[in-house]
Amino acid sequence: MLTPEIQAAFVGILNEELKMATGCTEPIALAYCAAKMRQILGAEPEKIRAEVSGNILKNVKSVIVPNTGGLKGTKAAIAAGVVAGDADRELQVISSVDKARHPAIAAYSENTPIEIVCPDTPHLLDIQLTGWAGEHWATVRIADHHNNIVYIEKDGKIQLEKALDDTTGNGEEADRSLLSLPNILAFANEVDLSLVKDLLERQLRCNSAIAEEGLKNSWGANIGSTLLQEYGDDIKFEARAWAAAGSDARMSGCEMPVVIVSGSGNQGITASMPVYRYAKHLGVSEEKMYRALIVSDLVTCYQKAGIGVLSAYCGAISAGVGAGAAIAYLQGADEKAIGHTIINAVAILSGTICDGAKPSCAAKIAESVDAGILGYKMYLSGNNFQPGDGIIGGDLHDTVVNVGVLAKEGMRGTDRTILKIMTQ
């Protein structure tokens, strides 16, 4: 049963999660922080000190920053924000940069002293930029969420300071403690769609547009178009291809915006495109499609609540599992069937590592969608993974908790090793 408390919380979650972003969200967060720092300083900094967490470095290293003329890396993202960013647009900070500004961005990145350090911080998403211009200086810090500014200081005067503990302070307001499969299904089945339809329409419109671009032209490793070329129009491969194609384009600098989930455009694409393609294939109503998309988005958020925004655990897995749950929902699955779909899918790819944002993310996305679909097919054939198999818990909630423990605690050493390998 949908209660007012659940409805308010889940509408709030969708409003917080389904944000527009142009470009991979880690370099965009850097650009946003840089643009805000320049705004506070009132001039382009003559030198910059960038203190960034390892997970930011990992996810910025190999992805092209959009609207920079093909530049990669931390310095490029900072330079784009300083030279051409609009801080008021947050994760759309460099979405409207004219090509004429590209040389200036490249010149600033090459000629401005930008010191990059990786401090020991409990916050996996942590960016602090300090810039100096003449006798003035300014510091801006973002932590835990990509647009969550927690500290601003200029010339020794603190303008903003949010309290953060060692692990939280994530800038979220909606109550995620209510996330559970029964509550998600009650919300998906009963909510007045007018409360969230605009968000869902924008998610499908933006993410399908970049997926179409990824299929139409050559981007990255062309995982999406390769799937279609090799395996034809089977809906299982079509769903995988459309999700992968959006990532193909996005990871390689496509300037089209996406609607993110759990702070990630790749997850936003993965949670939405397979649902969209299956809905078209099955010929269901628009209302059913939107309600299924709610299932996908919220099941993704349910898993990520215990994992965190960034970790060594590939976020695309959570979104692929969410898509699998929604595909089951589209085909009339009940709570029991959807619960087994999630458990089966989690078991297939649990522990898949995140080794940074890059073209191969599209391949991981394709496999995560496949796991979601297979999880439901397993249930239909009477074959399910059982409690005690690996990290599978006694029920769905225990399994989701176990995934959070695996990602947040068990993979800390993995995260450090990945970063060491990538920075050698």
Side-chain angles (χ1 to χ4, degrees):
M1 177 179 176
L2 179 60
T3 67
E5 181 184 22
I6 293 170
Q7 176 168 293
F10 289 6
V11 170
I13 289 170
L14 292 174
N15 273 284
E16 288 178 357
E17 295 286 357
L18 301 181
K19 295 183 181 297
M20 293 270 288
T22 298
C24 179
T25 45
E26 280 71 58
I28 294 306
L30 269 170
Y32 173 43
C33 193
K36 190 67 177 181
M37 183 261 291
R38 183 207 66 210
Q39 185 183 77
I40 298 299
L41 185 59
E44 286 190 1
E46 297 159 3
K47 64 177 182 177
I48 295 173
R49 177 179 171 86
E51 301 170 70
V52 294
S53 58
N55 273 267
I56 293 294
L57 289 177
K58 180 176 72 174
N59 283 323
V60 174
K61 178 177 181 288
S62 300
V63 69
I64 294 175
V65 183
N67 287 319
T68 62
L71 301 180
K72 293 181 180 180
T74 300
K75 290 185 178 181
I78 292 171
V82 168
V83 173
D86 180 354
D88 293 336
R89 300 194 67 187
E90 298 192 0
L91 299 184
Q92 296 265 97
V93 59
I94 56 172
S95 62
S96 300
V97 176
D98 190 274
K99 290 183 179 179
R101 306 297 300 280
H102 292 178
I105 293 171
Y108 189 89
S109 175
E110 293 171 5
N111 300 327
T112 304
I114 301 177
E115 179 190 10
I116 301 171
V117 296
C118 184
D120 185 14
T121 170
H123 303 275
L124 297 182
L125 194 165
D126 204 341
I127 301 167
Q128 181 166 298
L129 302 182
T130 302
W132 289 264
E135 298 179 355
H136 301 283
W137 60 273
T139 295
V140 175
R141 182 185 179 195
I142 289 175
D144 295 316
H145 273 231
H146 297 80
N147 62 337
N148 185 35
I149 294 178
V150 298
Y151 188 83
I152 298 175
E153 181 178 1
K154 182 180 181 183
D155 295 338
K157 295 181 180 180
I158 297 173
Q159 299 183 9
L160 172 71
E161 186 172 19
K162 293 182 182 179
L164 293 175
D165 65 28
D166 285 346
T167 57
T168 58
N170 53 23
E172 297 170 342
E173 296 180 1
D175 186 0
R176 281 158 172 76
S177 69
L178 295 172
L179 285 168
S180 69
L181 185 58
N183 288 350
I184 290 169
L185 292 178
F187 180 80
N189 288 330
E190 301 174 39
V191 69
D192 180 350
L193 281 180
S194 67
L195 296 174
V196 294
K197 187 176 180 181
D198 287 349
L199 293 170
L200 302 173
E201 284 182 336
R202 186 176 67 178
Q203 184 180 20
L204 291 183
R205 182 177 67 253
C206 291
N207 295 357
S208 62
I210 197 169
E212 289 177 355
E213 171 62 26
L215 291 170
K216 180 181 178 181
N217 295 305
S218 180
W219 293 96
N222 293 304
I223 301 300
S225 56
T226 298
L227 282 168
L228 288 186
Q229 289 167 9
E230 293 297 321
Y231 301 105
D233 57 0
D234 183 304
I235 183 57
K236 297 187 294 297
F237 290 101
E238 182 181 324
R240 295 169 65 188
W242 276 67
S247 179
D248 282 328
R250 183 172 172 272
M251 291 292 92
S252 295
C254 181
E255 296 157 6
M256 300 173 71
V258 301
V259 172
I260 67 175
V261 173
S262 296
S264 164
N266 277 348
Q267 289 174 56
I269 293 166
T270 306
S272 57
M273 285 300 93
V275 182
Y276 173 64
R277 299 314 300 176
Y278 258 89
K280 295 291 186 184
H281 173 75
L282 296 170
V284 303
S285 67
E286 183 181 81
E287 177 182 344
K288 184 74 170 181
M289 177 177 66
Y290 286 133
R291 294 190 185 278
L293 185 56
I294 289 170
V295 172
S296 185
D297 287 335
L298 290 180
V299 167
T300 300
C301 294
Y302 177 32
Q303 298 167 82
K304 290 289 288 184
I307 296 172
V309 176
L310 297 177
S311 74
Y313 186 98
C314 175
I317 306 306
S318 299
V321 171
I327 289 167
Y329 178 89
L330 281 171
Q331 297 176 75
D334 59 13
E335 181 184 325
K336 179 182 177 182
I338 294 172
H340 277 294
T341 297
I342 295 170
I343 291 171
N344 291 338
V346 164
I348 292 169
L349 291 177
S350 60
T352 301
I353 65 166
C354 171
D355 53 343
K358 62 208 172 307
S360 67
C361 290
K364 293 182 181 182
I365 285 171
E367 294 309 300
S368 74
V369 174
D370 183 57
I373 296 170
L374 178 57
Y376 182 49
K377 296 296 184 182
M378 288 175 61
Y379 171 79
L380 291 177
S381 63
N383 297 299
N384 295 298
F385 297 120
Q386 301 301 314
D389 289 349
I391 65 167
I392 301 304
D395 58 18
L396 172 59
H397 180 70
D398 288 345
T399 302
V400 170
V401 170
N402 289 347
V403 170
V405 173
L406 168 68
K408 186 170 282 187
E409 298 178 19
M411 298 181 79
R412 284 176 182 167
T414 302
D415 214 15
R416 289 191 291 269
T417 302
I418 291 169
L419 183 62
K420 182 179 179 180
I421 290 170
M422 291 179 65
T423 55
Q424 283 179 341

